[in-house]
Amino acid sequence: MRVTIKDVSREAGVSIKTVSRVLNNEKYVGPETRARVAAVVARLNFRPSVAARALAGKRSFQIALICDNPSPYYVYEMQSGIRDRCEIDGVRMIAQPYDRESPNLIDEIESLVEATSVDGLILTPPVTDYPAVLDLLKRRKVRFVRVSPGTDVTLTSSTFIDNEAAAAAMTRHLIALGHRRIGFIAGHKSYATSAQRMSGYINALRDAGINLDLGLVRQGNYDFASGSAQGDALLSLARPPTAIFASSDDMAAGVLTAAHRRGVHVPDDLSVAGFDDTALAGYVWPPLTTIRQPTRDMAHAAADLLLADADSPIERREVPFELIIRGSTAAVR
């Protein structure tokens, strides 16, 4: 038979109201009582009804993820991190993909808010910086947390990595291997992270006394196709680079394909580096040297901030990155 809140109340020796407060992570419950109720919930494998909880209060116990990203690996990690945090509080996650180029974007998000009465939203790049979306949510008084915002960073709580420092670390790694002609493939212009990563690349070159060659900088879209096309363009130069740093793993995989197609051996003839450390980085050959962006941790932190008390102060939570060295980079010949 299905375990009910009355069963939890009886086993824990507390009122139904106290159990409800613990489940909803409300105040006014002592730590010992909270721990006792949580232990009974776990032992009885009690799963509260979202509909019943919503009827009992002003919350829907649902949050939504607004996501538009060309990398399926990024989307999966983002959803997984948010879902892991939601399960702790018995909250449902709604993953809603959107087309950032859609003329109906604002109407679609507003319709979602109206139809579901979500308690809050998590915005990912590039929507995280769209003024019209931010204005809509402020006007509707909907709570939201942003992932990797590039503008108005004090507007609301957010999670991020230091993209500029991460890109600089990767560029310094390539310089330390003896590379001086380092190609760079930037991400889509609508993402603030693209400009941040390019700044890191430029700053590392400058600090090493290497002049920036704009002929080695190409515009990508954070997807495999643009990485392949721009990798091919860089390798077609009269003096091709000895290393190419693509600002996403998907684009770096495209560079590897372009190199293989041309008979350019990686890493003997060309070093290739990516950014993200998605599962793709380990699937390609050779495995990618990349920046580990802990997407799942950022997502978990974003959900944690969104599920905090409404009167909690605005917080910018930085998640550390890591330089992962694999077989796609080597000393210049």
Side-chain angles (χ1 to χ4, degrees), residues 92-103:
R92 176 182 293 133
M93 178 197 73
I94 300 172
Q96 188 67 53
Y98 283 99
D99 178 5
R100 62 179 177 270
E101 306 295 342
S102 171

Side-chain angles (χ1 to χ4, degrees), residues 181-210:
R181 288 184 60 76
I182 303 171
F184 182 78
I185 304 178
H188 196 283
K189 290 182 178 180
S190 64
Y191 290 70
T193 55
S194 300
Q196 294 164 358
R197 293 173 190 180
M198 185 168 177
S199 292
Y201 161 77
I202 293 172
N203 292 340
L205 292 180
R206 182 197 60 217
D207 293 345
I210 301 173

